[in-house]
């Protein structure tokens, strides 16, 4: 994977521990499941970070108007 651990939460990094030789000998369905799991894990982390950033920005705006 060219992206490596970037974009993955700690709990999803196990997806990178897959032996690629095992993947070569697996079914296309197994490969698709692994790839979709990896993509979903990256997207989930991105969404969590976006939500966190939005909440932080909203909190900043509220604090600015309160004081």
């Amino acid at each position: 994977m060219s992206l490596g651990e970037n974009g993955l939460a700690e709990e999803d990094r196990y997806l990178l521990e897959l032996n690629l030789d095992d993947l070569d000998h697996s079914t296309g369905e197994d490969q698709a499941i692994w790839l979709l799991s990896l993509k979903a894990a990256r997207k989930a982390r991105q969404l969590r970070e976006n939500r966190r950033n939005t909440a932080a920005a909203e909190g900043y705006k509220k604090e600015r108007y309160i004081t």
Side-chain angles (χ1 to χ4, degrees):
M1 295 257 29
S2 62
L3 294 175
E5 292 181 353
N6 293 336
L8 283 177
E10 182 71 33
E11 65 266 17
D12 295 322
R13 292 189 179 157
Y14 73 93
L15 290 166
L16 297 176
E17 295 173 5
L18 177 72
N19 182 337
L20 293 179
D21 288 334
D22 291 343
L23 194 59
D24 283 340
H25 300 294
S26 65
T27 67
E29 183 177 356
D30 290 338
Q31 293 172 10
I33 290 169
W34 174 76
L35 185 57
L36 288 172
S37 297
L38 193 57
K39 287 180 176 183
R42 289 188 192 283
K43 186 65 174 178
R45 179 164 185 217
Q46 179 185 28
L47 291 172
R48 281 192 302 270
E49 287 180 0
N50 289 347
R51 187 173 45 226
R52 200 174 302 129
N53 292 339
T54 299
E58 290 298 320
Y60 171 75
K61 288 179 188 175
K62 289 178 185 177
E63 287 176 15
R64 214 173 75 187
Y65 291 113
I66 292 173
T67 57

